Amino acid sequence: MQTEMSVCLTSANRVQRFWLLFPRLIIYFLTILSYGVEAGSRTNVTNVGAVINVSSRIGKEQKTAMEIAAESFNNRSKTHKLILHFPDSGRDPFLAASAAEELIKEKKVEVIVGMETWQEAAQVADLVGNQAQIPVISFAAPSITPPLMQRQWPSLIRMATNGSAQMKCIADIVSAYHWKTVVVVYEDDGYGGDVGMLALLTEALQDVGSKIEHRLVLPQISSLSNPNWVELEEMLRLPKMQSRVFIILQSSLPTVTNLFRLAGKMGLVGKESAWIITESIASLLDPQHASDMKGTLGIKTYYANNTSSYTNFRKKFQTKYSEGNSAQPGIYALRAYDAIGIISQAIGRMTDNTTSLEVLKTVLSSYTGLSANMRLNSGEVLYSPIFRIVNILDENRFQELNYWTPELGFSSDEAGENKFSDVGGVIWPGNLTSAPKGWAMPTVEKPMRIGVPGKTSFSKFVKVDSDKKKSVDGFCIAIFDLVINRLNYFLPYQFEVFNGSYDHLVEQVHKKVYDAVVGDITVLADRLDKVEFTQPYMESGLSMIVPAEPKKSTWMFMKPFTWQMWVVTVSILIYTVFIVWFLEQPSNPEFDGPLKNQIGTATWFTFSSLFFAHKEKIYSNLTRVVVAVWLFVVLILTSSYTANLTSMLTVQRLKPNATYIDTDSKVGCDGDSFVIEYLRNVLGFKKIIEVKSEYDYPKEFKNKTIEVAFLEHPYAEVFINENCIGYTATAPTYRFGGLSFVSNE
């Protein structure tokens, strides 16, 4: 009995102990399980920092695209998890760098992506990438790649290429329609972000023979105090722009929208105008933004939108994007999606012996994404850009035109097989199908103002008749009228007489007082820096004119032959006389008589044969042979003598009075031309006399006021033609660019 009771007590004690240990066992197993899960989660979670401008259109698209890519990876992977962190950079480089540092410290991110501008990317790479050795994938690239860039930022990977290809595309558009000047418009970002793009565009335009006439820098939206955009309207009114080709490099959508509204109000978006917008604007346009942009050309990076992967992404994007289901993902969204895709592939290849930067570079050595087929070289993702030109027809329609590649130019397909010389069938502003001329066409109410030199030394070129309401005439005016009559369009213009010097007249064109100058304007290097010249219509150079007197000589008849020739002629004559006498004296009765008579007869016969007037008969056949040779020589001698003497008597030989000209000589020239400065500064003459008119030069020479005159070659020819006796001119020794017309740059 006692034994049974002790057994029962032992069993009760065991049960009691079991119930006391059970909660502890549960806690122990739960703790082990939680530690295991926590340990597993800690090793398989990758934190990614996405530094973007979350309030901008680009930032919102990038955020949506990266979230889609991260969700796709998390749904596929059972062992890894990708967590994105989105701090707001506000498009400020310093805020971007600060946000990146905070991500590293607080969120322990292993890679940083984003950065909409190159200033942000450079700051983040400087303050974060090099210090923490964390890879930085930038969505922006510098306009001009600096040297040793990879050594300066070894952790930086640039997914965007520089802007040289896009600037060359714009230059090819300008060249295709023969526009010579353009106006560049861009919004000030406060950091000089478009200086590099402006330099690239300037160089690309120079390569096709065009240039930038004016740069219009728009203020940031935050700096405009008046909601009616009065400041912007005033900026459009200030410059006197002749060009009507506008290129917008960079600007926010609100600024672009109001820019087109004001430009349309001022008549800058209409006939003869052309507008080109870059990808940063064209990729973000919505129908509501394009109501005032009809006829504008835009540039977009081409990407394949007919693949299943793109279709799947687009459906998810339209579902998730907060701005509306109709939004189409642009190139910025695709690059953001590809960036997370690259990181996802790198996660699967990570080992204990590799760094994240090395794995990312390995993935990028050959990666096919939605935006392009990529490969990495010196920190830059390389791909051959293909641009698609789009034409805004109205607020509901965008027309896609030809493609463009740096290697092939314009073509109708992305492969570049069917080449074209322009962008295709464009509907230009004003619903025009023909390409605009690209500059402000004069009208009857506002004709083209053409300056004409009023003070001219040689009226044959330009002559202003003050008695006929300052009507103009002359050789230069006749050439201009001939060109105007050849134009296939009406060009209203009016001449305005300018009474200053030629240099001041050219300066008036540079200051846009006149639209052009018609006259005898010489093309010079310093003038080319200010204005444009047409093709020269006459050669120009500096000729020297001096008084001259005819060469007079009593022995002019001896000049046709040299003394050596006279000696040879007389020798042949004497020799022929001797041979004729020797052969004819035995048998010819006319050679009978004393020796003196025989020699006289032979001499007279030979001499009279010079004029073919000989009458004596010849009996010997040998004599006939000798005479035949002699007559042939006579024919040559008389013909040569007659020709040379005629030339000497017909063409008057002039001898310059001034045989030596030095820098102390008194020289005359036109005081209103550039020649006076050229003589003083280049040739070093000290005594320069200004001569007002072509008719004053003979008087100045006669009065010994000047010893020599320097005139441009066309003027020298006119002077010699009118004063052919008493003056001689040298050939042009110093040559210039020719006579031409002047126009605005």
Side-chain angles (χ1 to χ4, degrees):
M1 190 69 179
Q2 186 177 1
T3 302
E4 293 177 358
M5 290 181 63
S6 62
V7 172
C8 291
L9 289 172
T10 302
S11 300
N13 290 335
R14 290 177 178 176
V15 172
Q16 184 178 6
R17 289 176 182 176
F18 175 77
W19 285 109
L20 290 173
L21 292 175
F22 182 75
R24 296 181 182 180
L25 291 173
I26 295 299
I27 294 174
Y28 175 74
F29 284 118
L30 290 176
T31 302
I32 293 177
L33 182 61
S34 64
Y35 275 122
V37 173
E38 185 178 349
S41 300
R42 188 165 55 247
T43 56
N44 294 320
V45 171
T46 300
N47 291 291
V48 176
V51 182
I52 60 175
N53 182 12
V54 297
S55 60
S56 69
R57 166 77 177 276
I58 293 178
K60 293 176 181 178
E61 289 192 2
Q62 290 173 341
K63 183 175 183 294
T64 303
M66 286 189 282
E67 288 175 345
I68 293 173
E71 289 175 3
S72 299
F73 173 76
N74 292 336
N75 292 335
R76 292 194 311 269
S77 176
K78 297 180 180 180
T79 58
H80 294 80
K81 186 176 182 182
L82 199 61
I83 299 178
L84 303 179
H85 304 276
F86 294 99
D88 187 6
S89 68
R91 212 179 154 87
D92 187 311
F94 302 103
L95 288 179
S98 176
E101 283 186 320
E102 185 177 351
L103 286 172
I104 294 174
K105 294 177 181 179
E106 302 296 333
K107 305 298 182 181
K108 308 299 181 184
V109 297
E110 299 179 34
V111 62
I112 295 176
V113 300
M115 286 71 72
E116 183 180 330
T117 65
W118 171 243
Q119 290 78 13
E120 297 176 74
Q123 286 289 338
V124 171
D126 265 336
L127 300 179
V128 177
N130 292 346
Q131 297 176 8
Q133 297 299 313
I134 291 178
V136 176
I137 301 178
S138 168
F139 295 153
S143 301
I144 303 175
T145 304
L148 303 177
M149 184 174 181
Q150 185 61 20
R151 184 178 299 179
Q152 183 178 0
W153 296 301
S155 300
L156 178 63
I157 297 174
R158 309 180 304 278
M159 285 197 66
T161 58
N162 60 38
S164 60
Q166 189 173 183
M167 296 304 103
K168 289 180 181 178
C169 177
I170 293 176
D172 280 358
I173 295 175
V174 173
S175 175
Y177 297 104
H178 310 290
W179 299 323
K180 295 303 179 183
T181 59
V182 302
V183 177
V184 176
V185 184
Y186 59 92
E187 186 178 11
D188 179 26
D189 63 355
Y191 302 100
D194 283 305
V195 174
M197 296 288 282
L198 192 62
L200 289 174
L201 180 60
T202 302
E203 182 180 357
L205 289 174
Q206 288 176 349
D207 291 341
V208 298
S210 301
K211 61 175 62 176
I212 297 175
E213 179 190 20
H214 185 76
R215 295 191 299 270
L216 184 60
V217 184
L218 305 178
Q220 289 180 298
I221 290 179
S222 58
S223 65
L224 293 176
S225 58
N226 193 328
N228 294 324
W229 300 78
V230 176
E231 291 91 338
L232 183 57
E233 185 172 357
E234 289 301 319
M235 291 182 67
L236 286 173
R237 293 185 184 278
L238 283 178
K240 298 179 179 179
M241 298 175 295
Q242 187 73 18
S243 175
R244 288 296 180 268
V245 180
F246 298 90
I247 300 172
I248 306 180
L249 285 183
Q250 182 275 329
S251 180
S252 62
L253 283 179
T255 302
V256 168
T257 303
N258 284 276
L259 171 66
F260 273 93
R261 180 177 59 82
L262 293 175
K265 175 183 175 183
M266 300 171 63
L268 299 178
V269 183
K271 295 182 179 180
E272 309 306 339
S273 298
W275 289 77
I276 303 173
I277 57 178
T278 54
E279 183 177 49
S280 61
I281 303 170
S283 296
L284 303 177
L285 281 180
D286 284 334
Q288 62 268 24
H289 296 129
S291 58
D292 297 312
M293 302 172 62
K294 298 177 183 179
T296 300
L297 292 180
I299 300 174
K300 287 186 177 183
T301 299
Y302 169 77
Y303 50 85
N305 57 4
N306 55 357
T307 62
S308 58
S309 55
Y310 174 82
T311 303
N312 184 38
F313 168 71
R314 184 184 61 190
K315 292 179 180 178
K316 294 179 180 179
F317 183 88
Q318 292 177 339
T319 302
K320 190 176 181 64
Y321 187 53
S322 59
E323 297 297 317
N325 294 334
S326 62
Q328 298 290 330
I331 188 64
Y332 299 105
L334 297 182
R335 285 176 184 161
Y337 181 86
D338 287 341
I340 302 302
I342 293 167
I343 296 173
S344 301
Q345 285 196 19
I347 290 174
R349 300 185 185 185
M350 287 290 294
T351 64
D352 295 336
N353 299 324
T354 58
T355 63
S356 56
L357 181 61
E358 292 174 348
V359 177
L360 285 173
K361 290 184 177 180
T362 302
V363 173
L364 275 170
S365 62
S366 179
Y367 181 81
T368 301
L370 294 182
S371 58
N373 296 329
M374 310 175 192
R375 61 183 180 87
L376 189 67
N377 183 25
S378 299
E380 182 179 11
V381 175
L382 299 180
Y383 55 89
S384 180
I386 302 176
F387 293 117
R388 188 72 184 266
I389 314 300
V390 296
N391 184 204
I392 302 175
L393 301 182
D394 52 42
E395 58 271 15
N396 296 319
R397 288 188 301 158
F398 288 20
Q399 178 183 212
E400 293 186 342
L401 304 175
N402 286 339
Y403 298 83
W404 182 91
T405 58
E407 299 83 9
L408 303 174
F410 298 109
S411 60
S412 61
D413 57 285
E414 63 272 19
E417 296 179 355
N418 299 318
K419 296 183 180 180
F420 277 82
S421 59
D422 55 32
V423 302
V426 184
I427 303 298
W428 300 97
N431 291 324
L432 298 179
T433 56
S434 58
K437 294 180 176 61
W439 55 286
M441 287 293 295
T443 61
V444 176
E445 294 77 15
K446 190 178 179 181
M448 189 176 183
R449 300 180 63 189
I450 299 178
V452 177
K455 297 169 62 177
T456 58
S457 298
F458 289 82
S459 58
K460 293 287 190 302
F461 294 89
V462 178
K463 181 180 180 181
V464 178
D465 192 348
S466 57
D467 296 335
K468 297 181 179 179
K469 296 182 180 181
K470 293 188 176 181
S471 63
V472 292
D473 196 4
F475 175 72
C476 300
I477 307 301
I479 292 180
F480 177 76
D481 290 338
L482 183 63
V483 172
I484 291 296
N485 293 333
R486 290 293 186 94
L487 296 178
N488 56 2
Y489 56 88
F490 176 63
L491 181 65
Y493 66 90
Q494 64 181 18
F495 289 127
E496 297 185 11
V497 178
F498 182 79
N499 290 318
S501 67
Y502 280 59
D503 286 334
H504 290 160
L505 178 57
V506 172
E507 187 68 26
Q508 297 303 307
V509 179
H510 176 61
K511 294 178 179 178
K512 302 190 186 304
V513 176
Y514 297 136
D515 298 313
V517 167
V518 172
D520 47 344
I521 310 296
T522 305
V523 181
L524 300 175
D526 57 342
R527 294 175 179 175
L528 278 170
D529 294 335
K530 300 178 180 179
V531 295
E532 288 282 351
F533 284 90
T534 63
Q535 287 293 326
Y537 57 84
M538 182 172 286
E539 181 185 6
S540 68
L542 200 59
S543 296
M544 183 178 70
I545 296 178
V546 294
E549 58 183 6
K551 294 181 180 179
K552 298 179 180 180
S553 176
T554 306
W555 297 93
M556 176 66 73
F557 70 92
M558 297 292 293
K559 297 296 182 180
F561 288 161
T562 61
W563 67 268
Q564 293 95 336
M565 188 64 186
W566 284 115
V567 171
V568 171
T569 302
V570 172
S571 299
I572 295 175
L573 175 65
I574 295 173
Y575 177 76
T576 304
V577 169
F578 175 76
I579 295 298
V580 169
W581 170 79
F582 179 79
L583 295 174
E584 289 296 316
Q585 188 271 336
S587 58
N588 194 335
E590 295 186 15
F591 285 84
D592 289 341
L595 180 61
K596 181 175 65 173
N597 292 341
Q598 295 176 15
I599 297 299
T601 301
T603 302
W604 173 252
F605 171 81
T606 306
F607 182 79
S608 62
S609 65
L610 289 172
F611 310 100
F612 301 98
H614 51 284
K615 297 180 180 179
E616 291 79 6
K617 294 182 179 180
I618 296 175
Y619 288 85
S620 174
N621 290 329
L622 292 176
T623 305
R624 290 187 177 94
V625 173
V626 172
V627 171
V629 174
W630 166 246
L631 291 177
F632 181 73
V633 173
V634 167
L635 177 64
I636 296 174
L637 290 175
T638 55
S639 300
S640 300
Y641 181 87
T642 303
N644 287 340
L645 183 61
T646 303
S647 175
M648 290 180 178
L649 294 175
T650 306
V651 181
Q652 192 176 31
R653 303 294 181 177
L654 297 178
K655 178 182 179 181
N657 283 342
T659 58
Y660 177 71
I661 302 297
D662 60 12
T663 56
D664 291 325
S665 301
K666 294 182 290 184
V667 299
C669 68
D670 181 8
D672 292 325
S673 72
F674 71 95
V675 176
I676 184 171
E677 295 295 331
Y678 189 86
L679 294 176
R680 180 182 293 116
N681 299 329
V682 179
L683 301 183
F685 285 102
K686 301 174 183 177
K687 300 177 182 179
I688 302 175
I689 290 88
E690 299 181 14
V691 182
K692 296 182 179 180
S693 171
E694 61 178 306
Y695 305 107
D696 293 337
Y697 283 97
K699 181 176 64 176
E700 300 292 344
F701 277 119
K702 185 177 181 181
N703 296 336
K704 306 296 183 182
T705 306
I706 59 176
E707 301 174 48
V708 62
F710 282 94
L711 298 175
E712 289 188 71
H713 182 59
Y715 306 148
E717 288 187 339
V718 172
F719 180 83
I720 293 299
N721 287 337
E722 294 186 353
N723 302 273
C724 56
I725 299 177
Y727 298 94
T728 183
T730 64
T733 305
Y734 308 97
R735 296 189 178 276
F736 310 111
L739 300 186
S740 178
F741 298 151
V742 181
S743 63
N744 282 321
E745 291 184 323

